[in-house]
Amino acid sequence: MNETIEKLIASGKEGPWWDFKQTYHQNNAALVHDILCMANVLHDGDRYLIFGVTDEGLITGVLEDGKQLNQANLIDLLRKVSFAEHHCPDIQLHHITLQHKVLAILQIRNVRMKPYYLTQDYSKEGKTVRAGVVYTRQQDANTPVNGCASPGDVMAMWKERFDLDLAPTDRIVKLLLDYDNWEYDGFNEAYYRLDPGYSIYIDNSEREHGGQHWWSTTGIEQPYLYEYILKYRGRELERIPVVHYRNEGLKFPFPEIDTLSYPGKSDGYET
């Protein structure tokens, strides 16, 4: 992570997913607001609050006066805040040394649970983070505490939450994990109840597969191989070979197999 932080500081400016803070927050409501803004950024990667750096990227370090941020206190603070659905941003505090000065790095991990927002106002010393409001960050500026993210940004967050921003080939992988919502017709097809455009066709034309493979040389029985065909709106996305041991009632996807060649002197290795 040090290399990433060094590059951000070297840029000499704040950005959409990183923010410089010369000192720690004096107001916990301001800290919660900053965490919410960062957690809701539309960026495919982690975000950082970097303490001990001026807005221009000058490293000043944080004071070691016993008032430093620590992970336990941060977790305790966020537990007292009423996050919707009890989904609290995933944070991790790090301390690193650059130019002989200590920096505190609050890493907000990218989790596809946006939008994060509160169900009750959180107020401290005249500053209030409002319930039901979605905050985010555009370029190098947070949504003001008395403002709200744009409708377009909020819509994009909800799309991400439900994987509607993914290509069908990526989304079906996630939908397969939601097995309770798949409806099987008892013969050769299943569809996803919440989005029936996604379906699975089971090719029942079983065929024996010869060859000296681990799955065909067991002493149990000779297995059969057939396919699951994943589809979206009738278009084929993927074919998954499935190994079937009839007598055992055992079916499992055929794994992808690759080989490793033994390194020789021509590869620069002593063998």
Side-chain angles (χ1 to χ4, degrees):
M1 184 176 62
N2 287 29
E3 184 178 346
T4 298
I5 299 302
E6 284 188 72
K7 288 181 178 178
L8 296 180
I9 295 173
S11 72
K13 60 181 180 180
E14 298 173 329
W17 46 274
W18 71 95
D19 194 4
F20 300 147
K21 301 289 181 183
Q22 188 169 355
T23 61
Y24 295 128
H25 293 79
Q26 301 301 307
N27 184 314
N28 281 343
L31 175 56
V32 169
H33 175 245
D34 274 348
I35 290 174
L36 277 170
C37 288
M38 281 293 182
N40 284 331
V41 169
L42 294 166
H43 164 66
D44 187 18
D46 293 343
R47 309 92 201 279
Y48 302 94
L49 290 174
I50 305 171
F51 296 92
V53 180
T54 68
D55 291 347
E56 296 76 28
L58 176 65
I59 296 176
T60 58
V62 290
L63 295 176
E64 299 184 64
D65 56 0
K67 298 181 180 179
Q68 295 93 333
L69 285 178
N70 65 68
Q71 183 78 14
N73 289 342
L74 283 169
I75 296 298
D76 185 58
L77 167 64
L78 296 182
R79 282 177 178 167
K80 295 175 181 177
V81 178
S82 299
F83 288 98
E85 303 173 87
H86 304 291
H87 288 307
C88 173
D90 186 357
I91 64 168
Q92 182 69 49
L93 183 67
H94 309 270
H95 290 89
I96 66 174
T97 300
L98 290 179
Q99 299 179 12
H100 308 291
K101 294 176 181 175
V102 176
L103 305 182
I105 314 298
L106 182 55
Q107 177 184 15
I108 298 103
R109 293 192 175 92
N110 184 36
V111 181
R112 294 175 66 86
M113 288 304 299
K114 294 181 276 294
Y116 292 94
Y117 59 97
L118 307 186
T119 55
Q120 294 181 16
D121 286 357
Y122 180 77
S123 299
K124 283 291 179 182
E125 300 172 6
K127 191 178 185 74
T128 299
V129 182
R130 296 176 298 150
V133 175
V134 176
Y135 299 99
T136 188
R137 184 174 173 87
Q138 287 286 352
Q139 300 304 319
D140 60 350
N142 289 344
T143 305
V145 73
N146 61 350
C148 182
S150 71
D153 282 350
V154 175
M155 181 174 65
M157 293 176 207
W158 283 113
K159 281 187 174 181
E160 182 184 298
R161 166 80 77 94
F162 294 109
D163 297 323
L164 297 175
D165 61 325
L166 299 178
T169 49
D170 296 323
R171 188 174 182 226
I172 197 169
V173 173
K174 292 179 174 288
L175 298 185
L176 289 173
L177 299 175
D178 186 20
Y179 49 83
D180 287 337
N181 278 311
W182 284 89
E183 189 76 32
Y184 177 50
D185 68 0
F187 180 54
N188 66 352
E189 195 159 9
Y191 70 92
Y192 187 62
R193 279 197 296 259
L194 304 183
D195 191 343
Y198 289 91
S199 62
I200 304 171
Y201 176 76
I202 302 171
D203 181 1
N204 285 318
S205 56
E206 293 183 329
R207 50 200 180 276
E208 267 191 82
H209 244 251
Q212 296 300 307
H213 302 292
W214 63 268
W215 56 272
S216 63
T217 56
T218 64
I220 303 173
E221 63 174 296
Q222 180 67 29
Y224 288 78
L225 185 71
Y226 60 100
E227 291 182 312
Y228 281 7
I229 303 172
L230 310 183
K231 296 183 176 183
Y232 176 62
R233 295 182 179 177
R235 180 169 64 87
E236 182 179 313
L237 300 176
E238 190 76 44
R239 286 177 175 261
I240 301 176
V242 176
V243 177
H244 183 193
Y245 289 91
R246 280 182 172 177
N247 295 341
E248 302 296 320
L250 177 63
K251 299 178 184 177
F252 51 85
F254 187 80
E256 293 183 6
I257 294 178
D258 206 343
T259 59
L260 289 173
S261 60
Y262 191 77
K265 287 187 178 181
S266 61
D267 302 311
Y269 296 97
E270 291 294 331
T271 60

